[in-house]
Amino acid sequence: MSLQLGDTAPDFSAVTTVGPITFHEWAGTDWVILFSHPKDFTPVCTTELGYVARLKPEFQKRRVKAIGLSVDSLESHQRWASDIQETQGQALNFPLIADADRKVARLYGMIHPKHDELYTVRTVFVVDPQKKIRLTITYPQTAGRNFEEILRVVDSLQLTDRYAVATPVNWHSGEDVIIVPSLSDGDAQKRFPHGWRAQKPYLRLTPDPRGAAQAESSTAEFEFETSG
Ligand code: BEZ
């Protein structure tokens, strides 16, 4: 059976471009984005790896570590890294797993034989500091990923782990959020002193609670409003 949300991300040892690692130990107390690439020296992957390297400051802000995987040898990865630097203007700055024997790819279900029998598809696993899988996305080999979308979901996960909220369609950090329906209006009043705007009893919008403490001005707009 494939890995599901809430499962513990399987631990493994692997050779990578930054040396041998044991996954859980390497992850430490950070969040992780583990993602697979079909093969070295392929054009879409080359653009993705350069882009992820450029996003490093965004990962660091969120305490996220990136780690890629491709089912080729370490020597091949090292040669490919020069091409990435040359064509993308950005050196690799995170580990790339050399999974030539496909051990990790099989452990994580990264090979979808009806799509390609030999090479991995573009999987993404977001793993939290407790090593639980919190997001999985699978893309076909021909479509480069949108890593801003993956960071957006990390923002949502980190926020909703701390507060009794969910994030609406196309939400970005700082925008209004939804108070979870399981919270009564009475409890919501205690937890969201800036109030909310209720479009329906189950659809209560409130300012991003991390920003709300500083943004006193927004209280005029949000009152303890209920809608029948
Ligand atoms: C690529 O990374 O460019 C790629 C890999 C497999 C199939 C098509 C494109």
Side-chain angles (χ1 to χ4, degrees):
M1 196 168 90
S2 59
L3 291 170
Q4 298 190 334
L5 302 191
D7 286 345
T8 298
D11 200 12
F12 58 83
S13 298
V15 171
T16 80
T17 48
V18 301
I21 65 156
T22 299
F23 181 57
H24 283 191
E25 190 189 355
W26 170 83
T29 55
D30 288 337
W31 290 70
V32 173
I33 298 176
L34 165 66
F35 56 104
S36 59
H37 292 278
K39 198 171 162 37
D40 290 6
F41 300 101
T42 47
V44 177
C45 303
T46 302
T47 62
E48 287 187 323
L49 287 171
Y51 198 83
V52 171
R54 204 168 294 123
L55 280 179
K56 188 158 189 167
E58 294 302 319
F59 292 138
Q60 285 174 326
K61 266 191 234 164
R62 296 163 174 85
R63 296 185 53 114
V64 172
K65 285 177 178 158
I67 184 164
L69 175 148
S70 180
V71 291
D72 284 299
S73 68
L74 181 60
E75 181 272 329
S76 166
H77 285 5
Q78 283 160 344
R79 280 190 293 115
W80 188 26
S82 313
D83 286 6
I84 292 164
Q85 172 144 30
E86 182 190 325
T87 61
Q88 308 305 304
Q90 172 67 56
L92 269 188
N93 53 18
F94 57 89
L96 187 57
I97 298 167
D99 193 36
D101 61 4
R102 292 164 171 74
K103 185 183 78 176
V104 182
R106 291 209 179 89
L107 187 64
Y108 274 76
M110 292 168 167
I111 297 174
H112 294 201
K114 291 186 192 109
H115 186 82
D116 188 321
E117 279 184 15
L118 276 185
Y119 298 108
T120 50
V121 292
R122 294 182 201 281
T123 60
V124 181
F125 296 87
V126 171
V127 179
D128 72 15
Q130 287 70 47
K131 312 290 178 290
K132 298 292 180 205
I133 295 176
R134 303 294 299 277
L135 170 76
T136 64
I137 320 183
T138 306
Y139 293 70
Q141 292 176 334
T142 44
R145 283 159 280 210
N146 182 337
F147 283 91
E148 264 98 18
E149 165 61 7
I150 295 159
L151 278 178
R152 192 189 72 84
V153 183
V154 169
D155 284 341
S156 174
L157 287 166
Q158 294 184 344
L159 179 70
T160 58
D161 279 358
R162 254 178 86 191
Y163 298 95
V165 297
T167 56
V169 59
N170 292 343
W171 173 86
H172 283 94
S173 192
E175 294 175 359
D176 297 344
V177 298
I178 291 168
I179 299 172
V180 292
S182 57
L183 206 64
S184 69
D185 280 354
D187 286 338
Q189 281 190 18
K190 290 179 210 134
R191 295 207 202 183
F192 300 97
H194 290 268
W196 60 83
R197 186 177 74 247
Q199 293 183 329
K200 288 283 175 191
Y202 58 84
L203 179 45
R204 297 169 294 179
L205 290 157
T206 192
D208 181 329
R210 293 165 306 183
Q214 293 107 23
E216 289 299 330
S217 58
S218 63
T219 49
E221 222 193 306
F222 286 85
E223 302 194 337
F224 297 110
E225 207 187 273
T226 47
S227 166

